[in-house]
Amino acid sequence: MNKYDEKYEIRLAKHSDIENIMNFINDHWRKGHIMARDRKLFEYEYVDGDNVNFVIAIDKETRLIEGIFGFLNCSQTTDVTKKDIWGSIWKVVDNHHNIPFLGVELARRVFALTGCRTQIGNGANPNTTVPLRRMFFGDKVAKMKQYYYLNTEMDEYRIALIKDKSSVDFKIAEKETVLVKFKSIDDVKKNFDIESIDAIPYKDYWYINKRFFNHPYYKYNVYGLQDENGKTGALMMTRSVKCNGSQVLRIVDYIGDQKLFSGLGEEFERLIKKHEYEYIDFYTLGFNEEYVLSAGFKLRTDDDPNVIPNYFEPFVRENVDIWAHYKFDGTLFFKADGDQDRPNQILKT
């Protein structure tokens, strides 16, 4: 027992704590935040069976929650050498006399309480979370890269702000990759061996099913990437976003052989013309850049005059940098990881 245990009851949350956690988010994180208002989405994100994925600190005298650390599971594995989690909402009450670095203590407790191999995160605040992760956990931090495939044939862009239409043509691949849409997790299981993928974070069929087939609000496409022999060597997940009378396509996750991505140039060209997407974008960290560029994408740099928006709820016509923290080299990040691709406004089903 340390000084934190003397003052607080620190533990994993229970179902009976959900209402108090949602109130805490409203009062101390952000008033009106969707996780304070939409219990259906809260439970989808943070409840796995009997588990509520928050570490909470309750003051033993007042019985009030003074700090929370939310997390999301990348899989349901019980193998501790594969169990990875993403950090999510992380907050301690500022105006109470709490023991310094209570938030850091909550983040530390996650390892013992979950048995996870690694705790990673994207969407980290560069002014608060990033320095804390560096200082107390020795994490590496980096900015995710945003690549985009521009529809250069459009006369008017209502989502993007395009000042330079010069595009990078995709290279005609020696071996083209074919996209096959999977309609269910059973389709995935029949065609793709997720157990054979050695990656951090480790994602399993449970995660793919929950995250992309069973999302309560968003509709995702799950594609298998097939080589010339018809073998599925990777999965790619996308979501189309409509805004201002136009639409874009977002690549939000990718699992498997990255080289197959380089052969998708013709598929992307077909998709962008068929659906009249303004662009296709791809936020990632750790993905082989050569393969992305070969498929016709351009890296958005700080000097890029074009604006490729990230925020749609509400819509903000600005470029957005997403920061990630991690422990092990080779860790992969994508847009749908953690809580980065979720509703921010109450949506109708």
Side-chain angles (χ1 to χ4, degrees):
M1 179 177 284
N2 61 22
K3 61 182 179 181
Y4 296 101
D5 294 300
E6 293 174 7
K7 182 174 175 60
Y8 309 100
E9 176 187 342
I10 298 177
R11 58 171 172 79
L12 288 174
K14 305 171 184 175
H15 282 253
S16 57
D17 296 311
I18 291 176
E19 185 176 347
N20 288 336
I21 294 171
M22 293 179 72
N23 289 335
F24 180 97
I25 291 170
N26 188 69
D27 295 341
H28 303 293
W29 180 254
R30 188 165 74 243
K31 191 169 185 63
H33 190 278
I34 194 165
M35 287 303 167
R37 300 169 59 209
D38 189 331
R39 180 150 180 160
K40 175 181 176 181
L41 185 63
F42 181 100
E43 293 194 10
Y44 165 78
E45 291 279 3
Y46 296 109
V47 178
D48 294 328
D50 294 332
N51 301 316
V52 178
N53 297 329
F54 272 88
V55 179
I56 59 176
I58 300 173
D59 187 292
K60 289 183 175 179
E61 289 189 7
T62 66
R63 304 308 300 168
L64 295 175
I65 295 177
E66 293 294 340
I68 62 174
F69 184 94
F71 61 92
L72 303 161
N73 288 313
C74 308
S75 72
Q76 262 197 332
T77 184
T78 56
D79 183 349
V80 294
T81 66
K82 288 184 174 182
K83 185 173 177 59
D84 304 310
I85 64 171
W86 292 293
S88 183
I89 298 175
W90 187 17
K91 179 65 179 176
V92 169
V93 180
D94 297 323
N95 56 356
H96 293 180
H97 296 294
N98 283 304
I99 300 176
F101 302 115
L102 173 60
V104 172
E105 182 69 13
L106 295 182
R108 283 182 173 145
R109 295 287 178 103
V110 170
F111 290 95
L113 290 171
T114 67
C116 64
R117 164 176 63 173
T118 184
Q119 173 196 317
I120 56 183
N122 57 353
N125 186 316
N127 300 316
T128 55
T129 303
V130 164
L132 287 174
R133 298 301 312 193
R134 275 180 173 151
M135 184 184 307
F136 291 100
F137 297 91
D139 283 5
K140 301 175 177 70
V141 296
K143 191 165 61 175
M144 292 178 69
K145 295 181 177 182
Q146 185 187 23
Y147 301 92
Y148 64 99
Y149 188 117
L150 186 65
N151 186 342
T152 57
E153 296 181 3
M154 301 199 84
D155 296 323
E156 179 186 10
Y157 297 90
R158 298 179 179 180
I159 296 175
L161 181 62
I162 303 301
K163 297 180 180 179
D164 178 9
K165 266 193 176 184
S166 62
S167 62
V168 182
D169 293 330
F170 64 85
K171 299 174 183 176
I172 302 299
E174 295 178 15
K175 299 175 181 178
E176 290 179 21
T177 303
V178 176
L179 287 179
V180 177
K181 187 183 290 187
F182 292 145
K183 296 182 179 179
S184 69
I185 193 63
D186 289 334
D187 285 350
V188 176
K189 289 178 179 178
K190 290 174 186 174
N191 292 278
F192 183 67
D193 181 10
I194 206 165
E195 292 288 339
S196 68
I197 306 303
D198 182 19
I200 300 176
Y202 169 72
K203 298 171 182 175
D204 60 5
Y205 293 121
W206 167 84
Y207 174 76
I208 299 301
N209 192 43
K210 175 184 177 179
R211 185 67 182 82
F212 301 111
F213 288 112
N214 293 335
H215 197 281
Y217 296 125
Y218 285 166
K219 301 301 180 187
Y220 292 94
N221 285 323
V222 178
Y223 292 103
L225 279 66
Q226 294 186 346
D227 61 19
E228 71 276 12
N229 298 316
K231 180 185 177 183
T232 301
L235 297 178
M236 183 176 75
M237 280 56 80
T238 68
R239 183 170 71 88
S240 61
V241 179
K242 294 182 179 180
C243 181
N244 290 349
S246 189
Q247 64 179 341
V248 302
L249 185 68
R250 316 202 71 182
I251 300 171
V252 297
D253 202 350
Y254 191 100
I255 301 171
D257 184 356
Q258 295 181 11
K259 191 172 183 180
L260 288 169
F261 193 95
S262 63
L264 285 174
E266 291 194 12
E267 289 276 23
F268 288 135
E269 187 71 7
R270 180 183 60 79
L271 282 170
I272 211 165
K273 288 179 178 177
K274 178 181 178 182
H275 299 283
E276 296 184 329
Y277 293 126
E278 290 192 11
Y279 61 83
I280 303 171
D281 83 325
F282 185 29
Y283 271 101
T284 182
L285 180 64
F287 202 93
N288 189 311
E289 184 166 274
E290 176 188 348
Y291 301 147
V292 184
L293 301 181
S294 293
F297 282 74
K298 180 179 181 180
L299 174 65
R300 178 182 66 77
T301 65
D302 292 339
D303 299 325
D304 197 325
N306 296 332
V307 173
I308 310 297
N310 178 51
Y311 294 139
F312 290 88
E313 298 175 27
F315 176 62
V316 181
R317 208 176 199 184
E318 294 177 359
N319 289 323
V320 175
D321 291 331
I322 301 176
W323 286 85
H325 66 84
Y326 58 98
K327 180 71 71 175
F328 302 112
D329 290 334
T331 301
L332 285 166
F333 290 91
F334 301 99
K335 182 69 174 69
D337 290 350
D339 57 11
Q340 286 303 290
D341 194 53
R342 62 150 169 76
N344 285 310
Q345 297 175 336
I346 301 291
L347 302 174
K348 294 180 180 179
T349 51

